[in-house]
Coordinates of all heavy atoms in Angstrom, one line a residue:
T70 N 109.6 -14.7 62.8 CA 108.7 -15.9 63.0 C 107.5 -15.7 62.1 O 106.9 -14.6 61.9 CB 108.3 -16.1 64.4 OG1 107.9 -14.8 65.0 CG2 109.4 -16.6 65.3
H71 N 107.0 -16.8 61.6 CA 105.7 -16.8 60.8 C 104.6 -17.2 61.7 O 104.8 -18.1 62.6 CB 105.9 -17.9 59.7 CG 104.6 -18.5 59.1 ND1 104.1 -19.7 59.5 CD2 103.6 -17.9 58.4 CE1 103.0 -19.9 58.9 NE2 102.7 -18.8 58.2
D72 N 103.5 -16.5 61.5 CA 102.4 -16.8 62.5 C 102.9 -16.8 63.9 O 102.8 -17.8 64.6 CB 101.7 -18.1 62.2 CG 100.4 -17.8 61.3 OD1 99.4 -17.2 61.9 OD2 100.3 -18.2 60.2
S73 N 103.5 -15.6 64.3 CA 104.2 -15.6 65.6 C 103.4 -15.9 66.8 O 104.1 -16.4 67.8 CB 104.8 -14.1 65.7 OG 105.5 -13.8 64.6
G74 N 102.1 -15.7 66.8 CA 101.3 -16.0 68.0 C 100.7 -17.4 68.0 O 99.9 -17.7 68.9
A75 N 101.0 -18.2 67.0 CA 100.3 -19.5 66.9 C 101.0 -20.6 67.7 O 101.8 -21.3 67.1 CB 100.1 -19.9 65.4
R76 N 100.5 -20.7 68.9 CA 101.1 -21.8 69.7 C 100.1 -22.8 70.2 O 100.3 -23.7 70.9 CB 101.7 -21.2 71.0 CG 102.8 -20.2 70.6 CD 103.3 -19.5 71.9 NE 104.0 -20.4 72.8 CZ 103.9 -20.3 74.2 NH1 103.4 -19.2 74.8 NH2 104.5 -21.1 75.0
V77 N 98.9 -22.7 69.6 CA 97.7 -23.6 69.9 C 97.4 -24.4 68.6 O 97.1 -23.8 67.5 CB 96.5 -22.8 70.4 CG1 95.4 -23.8 70.6 CG2 96.9 -22.1 71.7
D78 N 97.4 -25.7 68.8 CA 97.0 -26.5 67.6 C 95.5 -26.7 67.5 O 94.8 -26.4 68.4 CB 97.7 -27.9 67.7 CG 98.4 -28.3 66.4 OD1 98.0 -27.9 65.3 OD2 99.4 -29.1 66.4
A79 N 95.1 -27.2 66.3 CA 93.7 -27.5 66.1 C 93.3 -28.7 66.9 O 94.2 -29.6 67.2 CB 93.5 -27.9 64.6
P80 N 92.1 -28.8 67.4 CA 91.6 -30.0 68.2 C 91.7 -31.2 67.3 O 91.4 -31.2 66.1 CB 90.3 -29.6 68.5 CG 89.8 -28.6 67.6 CD 91.0 -27.8 67.2
V81 N 92.1 -32.3 67.9 CA 92.1 -33.7 67.3 C 93.2 -33.8 66.3 O 94.0 -34.8 66.3 CB 90.7 -34.0 66.6 CG1 90.8 -35.4 66.1 CG2 89.5 -33.8 67.5
V82 N 93.4 -32.9 65.3 CA 94.4 -33.1 64.3 C 95.6 -32.2 64.6 O 95.5 -31.0 64.4 CB 93.8 -32.7 62.9 CG1 94.9 -33.0 61.8 CG2 92.5 -33.5 62.7
S83 N 96.7 -32.8 65.0 CA 97.9 -32.0 65.4 C 98.6 -31.6 64.2 O 98.5 -32.2 63.0 CB 98.7 -32.8 66.3 OG 99.3 -33.9 65.7
G84 N 99.5 -30.6 64.3 CA 100.4 -30.2 63.2 C 99.7 -29.3 62.2 O 100.3 -29.0 61.1

Side-chain angles (χ1 to χ4, degrees):
T70 46
H71 157 254
D72 259 295
S73 305
R76 300 174 66 209
V77 176
D78 227 334
V81 183
V82 185
S83 64

